[in-house]
Amino acid sequence: MTFPSLLPQLPQVRGQYIENAPLSDITWLRVGGPAQVLYLPADEADLARFLAETPEDIPVHVLGAGSNTLVRDRGVPGVVIRLTPAFARAQVLEGNRIRIGTALLDKMAAKAAAKAGIAGLEFYVGVPGTIGGAIRMNAGCYGSETKDVLVEAIALDRRGRRLIVMPDELGHAYRHCAAPEDWIFTEAVFEGRADEPAAILTRMDEITRRRSETQPIREKTSGSTFKNPDQKQSKGRSAWQLVEAVGGRGRRKGGARFSEMHANFLINDGTASAADLEGLVEDIRAEIAAREGVDMHWEVKRIGLPDGDNS
């Protein structure tokens, strides 16, 4: 699908606009149609001006590393923003704190903290994606979450206003953030505790080893597909156990399948369409609801025009 030009409606920026930009190459599932416009902001001030001057009826989406996003085959109308290296810096502060740009990969944030002797952010080495995505979904693993170490975040709202946000304003819960959908996080401050860099790196290596033994991290995947459900409703079962309960482990649809190694991981074998992937997940979701009485919720974010939508 090719979208009409949107550039006459967009403000002049110092960053870059790319029309009908393919997104499949920059998402981990490697599927999906184009963005009507892909915008690469030069810096925070450039992004703020874009937001302030872009008509509010033009849809705006933010795409981080593309690790937790399924772009639909017909593409994404409006503007997709991808933060540039200007948003990927780390600065060590006093008091075992570190300021991190939201475009920095989680694993690189963990390494920057380790090098500075700041413990507590090791878990980020096991989280795919960027710090911005981690804030947006309260990402975590192995018993630690973003909310445990976050001190403050900087966000721009849809009108380009710069906000300093405290953790209690974000409403973080399990894989959830109550911040308005139109906020774009640009940087954040985290606080850990002092420790020897070598000891921190050893713990990070252990997390990496555990992931490689239990998760298909070398496949085209987006990580966990479903959030873990309400424990009372699921009778204590996690998402992967419910997928397995309905025969979902290894289930295929076109080029999409659920991993044999970890039943909650969705994989593109290299030939899948976004419709294959979304359809397979929706099939499993419906079966779990019908047979197990559990409502499952996507952890992967879906963007773009659904099939049959002519808007």
Side-chain angles (χ1 to χ4, degrees):
M1 179 172 181
T2 301
F3 291 104
S5 179
L6 195 59
L7 294 188
Q9 301 179 58
L10 299 179
Q12 296 252 326
V13 293
R14 289 179 288 109
Q16 184 180 9
Y17 290 134
I18 305 172
E19 294 190 278
N20 285 291
L23 298 178
S24 58
D25 292 342
I26 58 175
T27 61
W28 289 20
L29 283 169
R30 294 292 191 267
V31 296
Q36 187 169 7
V37 173
L38 179 65
Y39 166 46
L40 308 174
D43 51 32
E44 187 182 283
D46 191 49
L47 176 57
R49 178 181 178 183
F50 166 84
L51 292 168
E53 298 182 13
T54 295
E56 291 192 12
D57 61 348
I58 294 177
V60 172
H61 305 272
V62 179
L63 181 66
S67 62
N68 197 51
T69 303
L70 173 63
V71 178
R72 292 184 171 117
D73 296 312
R74 299 183 63 231
V76 185
V79 180
V80 174
I81 299 170
R82 194 169 204 214
L83 299 185
T84 56
F87 298 84
R89 301 181 180 120
Q91 176 189 9
V92 178
L93 307 175
E94 294 181 355
N96 298 312
R97 292 185 173 190
I98 184 168
R99 185 185 307 277
I100 302 175
T102 52
L104 191 66
L105 289 172
D106 295 322
K107 67 178 181 180
M108 299 308 295
K111 290 179 180 180
K115 182 178 179 181
I118 300 173
L121 280 72
E122 296 94 320
F123 71 95
Y124 276 134
V125 79
V127 178
T130 61
I131 288 296
I135 297 169
R136 175 55 69 180
M137 65 178 296
N138 187 31
C141 67
Y142 303 125
S144 297
E145 297 179 304
T146 296
K147 69 179 180 62
D148 300 331
V149 290
L150 182 66
V151 173
E152 70 174 32
I154 302 298
L156 299 178
D157 69 11
R158 185 60 177 82
R159 295 171 62 184
R161 295 176 299 190
R162 192 175 195 264
L163 310 172
I164 301 175
V165 187
M166 297 296 107
D168 59 3
E169 299 176 72
L170 294 173
H172 275 148
Y174 171 70
R175 302 300 176 266
H176 173 76
C177 175
E181 285 294 322
D182 63 5
W183 284 9
I184 300 175
F185 295 103
T186 59
E187 63 180 47
V189 175
F190 300 86
E191 182 176 328
R193 62 187 186 279
D195 200 356
E196 291 298 321
I200 300 171
L201 289 170
T202 295
R203 292 193 291 272
M204 288 169 52
D205 289 343
E206 176 60 18
I207 291 171
T208 301
R209 183 191 66 77
R210 289 173 65 184
R211 283 192 71 224
S212 65
E213 290 178 353
T214 59
Q215 300 175 7
I217 60 176
R218 292 177 178 82
E219 303 264 18
K220 295 182 180 68
T221 183
S222 59
S224 295
T225 305
F226 294 116
K227 298 178 183 180
N228 280 323
D230 176 82
Q231 290 295 284
K232 184 176 180 181
Q233 188 185 42
S234 69
K235 299 177 182 177
R237 291 172 294 176
S238 60
W240 74 264
Q241 290 171 313
L242 287 160
V243 173
E244 190 165 76
V246 299
R249 185 184 291 272
R251 177 90 64 89
R252 291 178 174 269
K253 186 166 190 168
R257 78 176 194 277
F258 272 93
S259 171
E260 294 85 355
M261 176 182 278
H262 192 304
N264 194 31
F265 274 59
L266 183 64
I267 291 173
N268 175 6
D269 73 3
T271 66
S273 65
D276 289 339
L277 293 158
E278 187 169 15
L280 176 59
V281 176
E282 287 298 298
D283 289 348
I284 295 293
R285 211 162 79 73
E287 289 184 37
I288 293 173
R291 292 169 53 180
E292 304 296 328
V294 180
D295 297 323
M296 303 296 287
H297 299 282
W298 284 76
E299 187 164 316
V300 176
K301 181 180 180 181
R302 294 167 288 168
I303 63 172
L305 293 172
D307 288 344
D309 187 337
N310 293 316
S311 58

